[in-house]
Amino acid sequence: MSLGDSGTRREARERALGLLYEAEVKQVDPAELLESLPISPVPFALDLVRGVAEHRPELDAMISALAEGWRLERMPAVDRALLRLAAFELAHRPDVPAAAVLTEAVDLASDYSTERSSRFVNGVLSALAADLRPDEAPATDELPASPADEVGDR
């Protein structure tokens, strides 16, 4: 299987998302989690997890700046992991088209998070893509509401 195949990249992103979520829930560094695995994930998934671990403060700052009014720690854990993953790809993987990053992130949000998460993830990542890759990014008018269900949790 080639990692040029979108299905394989989708599976690698899905695995990376699962590992990032697991690391957060267990409160361990993602790199430490990778070391404990009996079987190493495919190279693309490894690159994504390691990249998020290495650049997490930078990624969190970018996400926080664009998710106006919504604190990172109040977002669903899956959304945080997914936003970090996609933000890493947008910021540090210029070989991956922005449209592919956004499409995959929205699809994963639809599959694994709340009903409103895919719209929120799309809004944050579209704004980030516009900042980081203006030649590739789709136009966006405004950010959608957060996936958080309780207004007072901002």
Side-chain angles (χ1 to χ4, degrees), residues 47-59:
D47 180 57
L48 295 175
V49 173
R50 287 179 179 146
V52 169
E54 180 180 338
H55 297 281
R56 184 173 163 179
E58 168 201 356
L59 301 172

Side-chain angles (χ1 to χ4, degrees), residues 65-79:
L66 295 171
E68 294 176 16
W70 296 100
R71 296 186 328 244
L72 199 61
E73 65 272 5
R74 295 301 300 166
M75 294 176 194
V78 171
D79 291 3

Side-chain angles (χ1 to χ4, degrees), residues 11-22 41 44-46 48-49 81 85:
E11 291 167 5
R13 283 186 184 96
E14 196 168 23
R15 179 70 171 131
L17 175 61
L19 291 168
L20 291 168
Y21 176 79
E22 181 180 350
F44 187 65
L46 280 173
L48 295 175
V49 173
L85 177 66

Side-chain angles (χ1 to χ4, degrees), residues 88-143:
F88 169 73
E89 283 194 85
L90 289 170
H92 298 282
R93 292 296 308 255
D95 60 309
V96 180
V101 174
L102 270 65
T103 299
E104 290 289 330
V106 170
D107 286 350
L108 288 168
S110 293
D111 290 346
Y112 292 104
S113 196
T114 69
E115 183 178 309
R116 296 163 58 193
S117 289
S118 60
R119 187 166 177 241
F120 177 70
V121 165
N122 184 57
V124 172
L125 294 177
S126 292
L128 183 59
D131 288 347
L132 297 175
R133 300 186 188 185
D135 294 338
E136 291 183 64
T140 181
D141 294 331
E142 62 182 84
L143 292 179

